[in-house]
């Protein structure tokens, strides 16, 4: 979403700001090698995912970040391709105050890995 050629479609300003803010915080705190720590469209090599999943503790939004971050600190390479994320047609986002607090707690946890 955040590489040249990628993007989002159908998001309101609030959702864009929350997503960009969450990624900015992750970049500042964790210095990941990925441009989008909150997106969930990912592929992992089977052996990498098996190794990382043995260690993962997080739940919720932080779960995705922990997988990526653990793979990085274990020395695995990370590649990216731009995508355009199209907002859901049915249902609503689960993002609310509790999820934001959970994200911040999770980011604090990942900082100390």
């Amino acid at each position: 979403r955040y590489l040249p050629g990628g993007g989002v479609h159908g998001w309101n300003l609030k959702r864009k700001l929350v997503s960009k803010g969450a990624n900015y915080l992750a970049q500042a705190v964790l210095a990941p090698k990925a441009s989008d720590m909150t997106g969930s469209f990912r592929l992992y090599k089977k052996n990498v995912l098996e190794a990382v999943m043995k260690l993962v503790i997080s739940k919720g939004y932080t779960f995705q970040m922990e997988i990526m971050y653990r793979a990085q600190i274990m020395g695995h390479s990370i590649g990216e391709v731009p995508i355009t994320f199209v907002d859901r047609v049915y249902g609503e986002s689960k993002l609310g105050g509790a999820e934001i607090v959970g994200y911040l707690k999770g980011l604090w946890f990942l900082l100390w890995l």
Side-chain angles (χ1 to χ4, degrees), residues 32-35 37 44 68-69 71-73 75-80:
K33 295 178 182 173
S35 66
M37 292 295 284
Y44 293 92
M68 177 75 72
Y69 190 60
Q72 176 182 312
I73 62 178
H76 298 289
S77 62
I78 296 172
E80 295 184 287

Side-chain angles (χ1 to χ4, degrees), residues 43-60:
L43 298 172
Y44 293 92
K45 291 182 179 177
K46 182 180 177 183
N47 65 314
V48 173
L49 191 58
E50 288 173 341
V52 169
M53 289 306 294
K54 291 176 184 176
L55 305 171
V56 171
I57 297 168
S58 301
K59 302 208 181 323

Side-chain angles (χ1 to χ4, degrees), residues 54-97:
K54 291 176 184 176
L55 305 171
V56 171
I57 297 168
S58 301
K59 302 208 181 323
Y61 290 101
T62 310
F63 172 80
Q64 301 168 131
M65 286 195 318
E66 183 177 353
I67 294 171
M68 177 75 72
Y69 190 60
R70 282 192 186 273
Q72 176 182 312
I73 62 178
M74 292 169 77
H76 298 289
S77 62
I78 296 172
E80 295 184 287
V81 295
I83 65 164
T84 298
F85 181 87
V86 178
D87 199 14
R88 65 183 56 82
V89 177
Y90 300 103
E92 295 180 20
S93 174
K94 299 173 292 240
L95 184 63

Side-chain angles (χ1 to χ4, degrees), residues 2-44:
Y2 300 124
L3 288 175
V8 296
H9 179 74
W11 281 8
N12 62 32
L13 181 60
K14 177 185 173 189
R15 187 150 180 214
K16 287 179 184 178
L17 290 174
V18 168
S19 178
K20 285 279 194 177
N23 272 291
Y24 176 80
L25 278 174
Q27 295 291 331
V29 172
L30 303 175
K33 295 178 182 173
S35 66
D36 188 352
M37 292 295 284
T38 62
S40 61
F41 186 72
R42 299 189 178 154
L43 298 172
Y44 293 92

